[in-house]
Amino acid sequence: MQENDIKFLEDTFKKYYFDHFDLIRVPNRTSEREFGFQKFNSGMTRHISIKDDKELHLLLMKNIPSDVYCSNACYSFPNLPMNEKDWKEADLIFDIDAKDINLECRKNHTISKCNECNEISTNMNSCSKCNSIKLEKKSLPCKNCINASKNEVLKLSNILIEDFSIPQNDIHVYFSGNEGFHVYVYNSQFQQLGSKERSELTDYIMFHGAIPETFGMKKIKPNRLTFPDFDEKGWRGRFSKEVYGAKSKRSKIITELIANGYSSFQKTLDDLSDKIGAKIDPNVTMDIHRIFRLPGSLNSKSGLTKVFCTDLTKFDPYLEASFLNEKLVEVIANCPIRFNLKNTKFGPYFNEKVSVPTFAAVYMICKKLATIS
Amino acid sequence: MLELGADEYAKYPFMADAGQYLKDKGFPLVKFGTDPDLKPSVEKAFHRLKVSTEGGIYKSELIDGQASKSYVLEIEVFSFLLAIVLIKLTGMHTLTKRFALAEARRAEQHLEKDLGKASEKSKIDLAIKIIHDLFGIEIIKRDDFFEIPVADYLKHSTSFHEREWKLINRYVKDGKVLLTPEKTVRLIRKELGTYIGSKINNAPTPPMIPGFENMVNELISICKKLTPSYTTITGEYPPCIKHAIEVLEKGENLPHSGRFMLATFLLSKGQSVEEIAPLFKNAPDYNQRITLYQLNHLAGTSGSGTHYSCPSCEKLKTQNLCFAIPECDNIINPIQFGKKRI
């Protein structure tokens, strides 16, 4: 990124942290958490411990980070190297990202930027100018993508509440500041689980690894009576609703399932994970030493804030997560896709000088689709 | 500690009080080598051990979990304790492992019966208490099932490789997993084995007892035959690794977990960091300095010094990195691909 772009982003981010410190959620047990941050065009600084709000405020003002992170884990000594920290426990966190849902619309709002010649194009395989395959993909997620992500959050919440008995108010949903949502689970029985056990939990939530026997289908002499009932709880119930569709079709469909045989049943289960499993990133949940974007901080991939969603259904990230100011800035924009921020439409821009509000300029510069003119 | 009756000592001789039992009876160890009256206990111990090396479970003389005669009880407890003495005298680790597993399975059979006795509440309560005191698992009986908190279930089940033990294949309700008595006890088999194993490891090694020499020597020779060796029959990479290399060769993005798998696999095959690094050259975000730093970190030559190992097949399945072919059958980690036990 160019010097004047960095300067502009730093000034804007600094102002944000000064004006909106109240949005930042200092986690409970602050002094037991590991903090970290990144600066524009620079590496990661981590293994930092912070006592309280004041210290965090000071860190933000002093360093003007592009991104701020905090661990889900609590340690005895958060500022020591990894193997000396003395891990105690970690909140259970899920990451749902629009890019993992692979919707049809995605190709309409994804562009590639060539790492060799900087050409921006809609060709996803090689650069249309120099043929290089080193492409950086940039997506400006649309409403459809956000809604699909929300749907996955709801699927996940249902499983957490219904199967694991987690109270609704211990599940906190945050918009990640870019393409998805982070779901935090507090005070659960899973706090002290290690990585392997959390990986097993993710398989459960994603509906991975189910075998026909679990849903009543035996290899030899299958018995109709062992198939799930329509109103059962947990995965057997979700299976019924998806596969039978309606109570009245149960009997007929069981006959079909038995007639198709065991391997076909296994295939049905494998295909089902895409439909009824929640699409979470298992690597994030498995990691018990990760540092996560701090709620209330800015995401340097978009300039949007990681915000707490009080009402997920109504939540609009392009309205409720955009907190930067409206002062006009001149940029050279090369953003061939239209986007909408704070109820205003921007673009498309084809290598042209335009005057846009700061929040839109930051959005494009963060996506590497504009530079300060 | 639990209050155990005579029958429980015989069923679960590894419980701490069983050791006290021998002491209270006042039998010095040396007497077992020479006293013809005590010989049956030693022979039983030897038999008990031999059965375990063959992968079997020693058949006790208890009738329906009860010691009908007092000498039966003594032989049951003595033979367990003498088996430990014999193991210590052989110094063979294989014997400890096999015996601990066999004894765990024997105890498992008793626990399973006790838990399944719907009419005898005291037996169920005792079995639940044994599981709680030894392994810290809270079990609640509800109708014909036992409820275990999901977190506890996961702690104990993740080492199982059979798919039926995956949480997705269990009945989960209100944060609990519902299990039959059989599955409840199977869940703690490994811990039972570990517990018994630690008892053996912590026991002192006595000097050789006159009269035990032949049995000790025979056990040593059995153990030597048991140690398996492997030979590599093919130099082929497993499909998951081949796939990862293909992705990189095409210049496509291989996720972090895939890069981790590839690097740890090749490191475990003895390749150096310098040999592996060029593989990542085509990655869209390739940076030589970062690649070398990360590889050295995985190899344990920098950072915390931890040498990272290749993820298991199960984990790779979760990460969508598994492309299993028939030759992958029965392996639990990609590094076992193409090896054959001889």
Side-chain angles (χ1 to χ4, degrees), chain A residues 25-33 70-71 74 91 186-187:
Chain A
R25 298 206 160 209
V26 188
N28 65 353
R29 301 168 70 174
T30 317
S31 61
E32 292 174 274
R33 310 270 179 178
C70 172
S71 66
C74 289
D91 304 324
Y186 299 109
N187 311 317

Side-chain angles (χ1 to χ4, degrees), chain B residues 152-186:
Chain B
D152 281 332
Y153 175 83
L154 290 175
K155 276 182 214 158
H156 295 86
S157 66
T158 43
S159 55
F160 295 162
H161 300 297
E162 301 93 341
R163 301 221 306 169
E164 62 162 324
W165 285 96
K166 284 187 74 64
L167 187 63
I168 184 83
N169 293 314
R170 291 279 139 223
Y171 191 39
V172 180
K173 196 182 156 196
D174 302 329
K176 306 264 173 53
V177 178
L178 271 59
L179 296 174
T180 59
E182 180 212 345
K183 296 281 182 202
T184 307
V185 178
R186 173 68 183 88

Side-chain angles (χ1 to χ4, degrees), chain A residues 310-323:
Chain A
T310 38
D311 185 346
L312 184 70
T313 330
K314 286 190 194 147
F315 178 77
D316 177 358
Y318 301 119
L319 195 62
E320 293 169 59
S322 181
F323 288 93

Side-chain angles (χ1 to χ4, degrees), chain A residues 183-200:
Chain A
V183 180
Y184 287 53
V185 176
Y186 299 109
N187 311 317
S188 74
Q189 55 169 310
F190 307 116
Q191 287 283 126
Q192 282 167 2
L193 287 188
S195 177
K196 218 170 156 188
E197 291 80 17
R198 289 178 194 232
S199 149
E200 195 52 46

Side-chain angles (χ1 to χ4, degrees), chain A residues 163 189 203 209 211 214 283 286, chain B residues 151 166 169 175 315 318-319:
Chain A
D163 299 11
Q189 55 169 310
D203 272 347
I211 53 173
T214 309
N283 297 310
M286 274 153 63
Chain B
K166 284 187 74 64
N169 293 314
K315 190 163 183 178
T318 302
Q319 296 170 326

Side-chain angles (χ1 to χ4, degrees), chain B residues 173-317:
Chain B
K173 196 182 156 196
D174 302 329
K176 306 264 173 53
V177 178
L178 271 59
L179 296 174
T180 59
E182 180 212 345
K183 296 281 182 202
T184 307
V185 178
R186 173 68 183 88
L187 189 67
I188 53 155
R189 177 189 290 170
K190 199 172 157 235
E191 277 74 12
L192 264 174
T194 311
Y195 184 80
I196 298 169
S198 74
K199 286 247 150 181
I200 301 171
N201 290 331
N202 294 332
T205 306
M208 180 55 81
I209 296 153
F212 276 30
E213 297 90 342
N214 288 345
M215 280 180 275
V216 169
N217 288 336
E218 193 177 336
L219 288 169
I220 292 175
S221 76
I222 292 173
C223 281
K224 285 189 175 153
K225 278 183 213 152
L226 286 173
T227 317
S229 59
Y230 291 89
T231 179
T232 303
I233 53 162
T234 161
E236 284 259 311
Y237 284 156
C240 49
I241 301 296
K242 277 190 187 168
H243 176 263
I245 294 174
E246 277 166 25
V247 169
L248 283 175
E249 275 173 354
K250 276 191 251 165
E252 289 171 12
N253 186 44
L254 183 65
H256 174 76
S257 45
R259 297 180 195 200
F260 180 89
M261 167 196 74
L262 180 61
T264 48
F265 176 87
L266 295 174
L267 285 167
S268 74
K269 290 281 170 193
Q271 293 201 25
S272 68
V273 166
E274 288 70 25
E275 283 171 312
I276 301 169
L279 269 179
F280 296 94
K281 255 188 179 152
N282 277 342
D285 54 355
Y286 177 73
N287 176 318
Q288 191 188 16
R289 192 179 58 83
I290 293 175
T291 304
L292 286 174
Y293 166 81
Q294 288 175 335
L295 286 172
N296 277 315
H297 194 83
L298 295 181
T301 45
S302 72
S304 63
T306 312
H307 178 90
Y308 288 84
S309 38
C310 187
S312 67
C313 298
E314 201 59 48
K315 190 163 183 178
L316 296 176
K317 264 181 217 153

